[in-house]
Amino acid sequence: MDKLVIEGGTRLEGEVAISGAKNAALPILCAALLSAESLVLTNVPELNDIGTMLKLLAQMGVKVEREGHRVSLDASGLNNPVAPYEMVKTMRASILVLGPLVARCGEAKVSLPGGCAIGARPVDQHIKGLQAMGAEIGVDHGYVNARTARLKGARLFTDMVTVTGTENLMMAACLANGETIIENAAREPEVVDLAQCLVAMGAQISGAGTDVIRIRGVERLHGAEHRIMPDRIETGTFLCAAAATGGDVRLIGTSTGYLDAVVDKLMDAGCDIVGEKTPNHEAIRLIAPKRLQAVSIRTSPYPAFPTDMQAQFMAINCVAEGTAVMRETIFENRFMHAVELIRLGADIKIDGNTAFVKGVARLQGATVMATDLRASASLVIAGLVAEGETHIERIYHLDRGYEHIEAKMTRLGARIRREQA
Ligand code: UD1
């Protein structure tokens, strides 16, 4: 298994390009299931999760062609609406095939994702919504089995804000008979990107980006071409890495518009951040102070502070001036990086869903273990500011969600290398 070795103490400087968003690309790849014509996607990041999703779609009968960041999908030969456990267990987002399969094929058999490192993460809201649209759903032997003649439009209300739940139901509703209204919908930019792709395919959707989405079902969707939005979490992660090292970086191909809550907190911490717009591209420049101020956060659904940035902010708070109170409200078990950060010398106390982080003057390199995707990113940031070498094991989590992270960090001056353990 590969590991990353980071020699801390360099200031990040320079420019790096931000990749397409994993969490937009995954549902949009599944949207290809809704049409018998081809969907061409650009700016698709080269990530293990994307590879897993493409494999899953291919074994259902979708023709997949991938050339760098361009992927074309042709689901005219879709013949096997099944997502087996072996694939779903490695990537929870596989549940995103459920809605499109039921809508297009009238049946689907999708493994339940099961637990994951950051909590139980059930899919009851996805199931409840599809049932309200007329699907008959049974859960047998760990699989969700769904069947219906044609889905019917319905008024749906989710018990909590769920991102993939909203996306699954929005996709299913595109081919339903009549109008579907999703209330308490997720407002994440990735939901909007998916809606834009679906509209390009002929779907009738309004309200994406608000908490009420209306979808008027159509008989069929056609082919389209769509560019995946920039990854706001990768953007935020690089901003945090630059901030922690007292750096000065420009991130190309991304915009502050996607992450106001994160930018606000980094400015509270003492960074200067400006969005730049040229005729060719958008960019963000961050200039960090010598030492950051601790910033307290509370995670909540978009547009509030994202849970996917909590771990990275914990890393910067570890070396900031003062004490931060960090509250995680989305997932019940998302502080596993704290014990690893403590191994690097951080001063963190956890009480339920709250972490109290007291900044220390310096962290010290050690061997640590990545436990999930964003936790891994926090360890990279901590490694960049720690004295000496930090060895991060189990970095397959990072490869699921960060495109060429060590190459990009190296471009900014980090001393980081991959080693076979
Ligand atoms: C998505 C993101 C993930 C991010 C999360 C929250 C993708 C592929 N992943 O995950 O990176 O951390 O949003 O911003 O886009 N819940 C239920 N029942 C359900 C659905 C959700 O109880 O049927 C709960 C979850 O356990 C969690 C909360 O609702 O506590 C929010 O989860 P959700 O928004 O669904 O997360 P994902 O869509 O899985």
Side-chain angles (χ1 to χ4, degrees):
M1 238 184 280
D2 290 359
K3 66 173 180 178
L4 281 183
V5 180
I6 303 175
E7 208 178 302
T10 39
R11 176 173 186 256
L12 297 192
E13 277 177 302
E15 290 188 354
V16 79
I18 292 300
S19 301
K22 168 179 88 74
N23 285 354
L26 289 171
I28 290 173
L29 291 172
C30 296
L33 293 167
L34 289 165
S35 170
E37 295 179 25
S38 93
L39 178 63
V40 176
L41 303 174
T42 54
N43 205 31
V44 179
E46 287 177 3
L47 298 170
N48 287 353
D49 271 10
I50 299 294
T52 305
M53 185 61 89
L54 292 177
K55 246 192 252 164
L56 179 61
L57 296 174
Q59 66 88 39
M60 291 176 182
V62 179
K63 209 168 125 214
V64 175
E65 281 171 26
R66 184 179 190 179
E67 215 187 295
H69 293 125
R70 184 185 173 89
V71 173
S72 13
L73 302 141
D74 173 350
S76 55
L78 175 62
N79 56 10
N80 180 32
V82 177
Y85 177 66
E86 292 65 44
M87 290 190 156
V88 176
K89 74 172 182 205
T90 63
M91 188 182 61
R92 207 189 117 77
S94 315
I95 193 70
L96 284 162
V97 300
L98 179 64
L101 285 177
V102 184
R104 169 108 183 277
C105 308
E107 59 174 328
K109 180 176 176 184
V110 178
S111 170
L112 279 172
C116 71
I118 62 174
R121 300 179 86 177
V123 292
D124 54 309
Q125 302 301 309
H126 304 233
I127 293 176
K128 192 180 87 171
L130 290 170
Q131 282 171 328
M133 295 168 81
E136 274 176 41
I137 301 191
V139 179
D140 308 294
H141 303 289
Y143 277 81
V144 180
N145 290 294
R147 187 170 285 280
T148 181
R150 183 177 177 195
L151 292 172
K152 348 184 251 302
R155 197 179 187 103
L156 310 177
F157 185 90
T158 54
D159 293 350
M160 77 289 296
V161 176
T162 154
V163 179
T164 50
T166 301
E167 292 166 342
N168 231 339
L169 298 174
M170 182 167 74
M171 287 192 278
C174 287
L175 295 181
N177 188 10
E179 189 184 43
T180 298
I181 301 171
I182 307 175
E183 296 194 32
N184 201 25
R187 291 180 281 169
E188 267 68 0
E190 293 77 12
V191 174
V192 178
D193 204 30
L194 170 64
Q196 281 168 353
C197 177
L198 293 167
V199 167
M201 295 168 74
Q204 294 188 9
I205 301 174
S206 63
T210 74
D211 60 0
V212 181
I213 303 179
R214 288 170 191 271
I215 307 112
R216 183 159 289 285
V218 295
E219 289 283 333
R220 62 185 56 80
L221 295 182
H222 52 70
E225 182 159 343
H226 178 81
R227 183 177 166 82
I228 304 292
M229 66 175 281
D231 196 313
R232 65 193 169 98
I233 306 301
E234 187 198 23
T235 305
T237 301
F238 275 86
L239 289 177
C240 283
T245 63
D248 177 353
V249 300
R250 179 177 281 110
L251 306 180
I252 313 284
T254 187
S255 119
T256 51
Y258 301 117
L259 68 178
D260 285 340
V262 169
V263 165
D264 271 8
K265 288 293 176 186
L266 286 169
M267 288 173 61
D268 288 351
C271 297
D272 274 338
I273 300 182
V274 281
E276 299 174 343
K277 207 167 181 165
T278 71
N280 297 329
H281 62 240
E282 285 193 87
I284 304 179
R285 169 126 188 243
L286 174 142
I287 304 171
K290 265 213 153 54
R291 187 160 189 209
L292 298 168
Q293 293 298 316
V295 279
S296 293
I297 59 154
R298 179 178 188 278
T299 65
S300 277
Y302 190 84
F305 190 91
T307 175
D308 284 352
M309 284 302 304
Q310 178 257 105
Q312 300 88 319
F313 268 73
M314 187 176 284
I316 68 175
N317 278 328
C318 286
V319 288
E321 175 100 51
T323 298
V325 180
M326 306 185 65
R327 210 153 268 149
E328 171 60 55
T329 75
I330 308 287
F331 294 113
E332 72 267 29
N333 188 21
R334 210 175 193 180
F335 281 143
M336 282 173 328
H337 40 281
V339 283
E340 302 297 317
L341 292 168
I342 290 168
R343 289 181 49 72
L344 298 173
D347 182 347
I348 304 170
K349 306 243 170 341
I350 306 280
D351 181 9
N353 70 347
T354 306
F356 300 88
V357 186
K358 187 162 173 233
V360 296
R362 64 186 61 83
L363 297 176
Q364 295 145 14
T367 298
V368 288
M369 201 180 325
T371 48
D372 70 57
L373 174 54
R374 307 307 170 184
S376 318
S378 77
L379 297 177
V380 171
I381 295 168
L384 289 172
V385 294
E387 273 179 356
E389 275 193 358
T390 296
H391 293 234
I392 307 178
E393 298 186 343
R394 294 206 185 162
I395 55 158
Y396 54 84
H397 291 292
L398 271 176
D399 295 332
R400 286 186 40 214
Y402 287 94
E403 191 175 45
H404 312 312
I405 188 163
E406 71 269 32
K408 288 190 184 185
M409 289 286 180
T410 302
R411 203 164 306 144
L412 295 176
R415 285 173 294 185
I416 177 169
R417 63 179 190 275
R418 186 177 288 248
E419 277 184 7
Q420 301 239 301

